[in-house]
Amino acid sequence: VQLQASGGGLVQPGKSLILSCVVSGTRFSLESLAWYRQAPGQQRDLVAWITHQGWTGYPDSVNGRFFISRDNANEMVNLQMNNLKPEDTAVYYCAVVNTSQTGEVRGVRSWGQGTLVTVSS
């Protein structure tokens, strides 16, 4: 499985950014997908996930600001990030994940390379 993320960059606080990830080498429509982020010196954290059924989930830190979506026709998963804050600065990674029957993430099967998002004025 290969994942290619793009869309990172420098953005001012309060602005929006969209990350995209193209996935290949798997039956995309059957996969659950996720975005993680890792700030300097910090662990890698889950920020959004979407199951093959289209169920989505977010941690409290981004709930209401970040929105994950999938495009099965083009085998892409996107992350819309709104009202960005300096603490959102991190390298963002897309991933193919395993999820439970209730839609919770149970582990990562494949990682993409990261894309850096810097939120600064």
Side-chain angles (χ1 to χ4, degrees), residues 34-50:
W35 286 93
Y36 287 75
R37 69 184 179 188
Q38 187 168 21
Q42 303 295 317
Q43 65 182 19
R44 192 172 296 187
D45 292 326
L46 178 64
V47 295
W49 67 97
I50 185 166

Side-chain angles (χ1 to χ4, degrees), residues 87-107:
E87 52 263 41
D88 294 319
T89 295
V91 178
Y92 284 72
Y93 299 87
C94 54
V96 175
V97 295
N98 292 323
T99 52
S100 68
Q101 289 186 336
T102 56
E104 300 300 317
V105 176
R106 286 290 177 258

Side-chain angles (χ1 to χ4, degrees), residues 28-80:
F28 182 87
S29 63
L30 300 182
E31 298 286 10
S32 295
L33 306 147
W35 286 93
Y36 287 75
R37 69 184 179 188
Q38 187 168 21
Q42 303 295 317
Q43 65 182 19
R44 192 172 296 187
D45 292 326
L46 178 64
V47 295
W49 67 97
I50 185 166
T51 69
H52 70 277
Q53 304 102 318
W55 302 341
T56 59
Y58 309 90
D60 290 343
S61 58
V62 305
N63 196 22
R65 298 189 299 122
F66 287 16
F67 299 93
I68 189 171
S69 62
R70 64 188 299 151
D71 179 349
N72 286 347
N74 292 301
E75 299 186 329
M76 295 177 58
V77 57
N78 300 311
L79 184 67
Q80 170 79 45

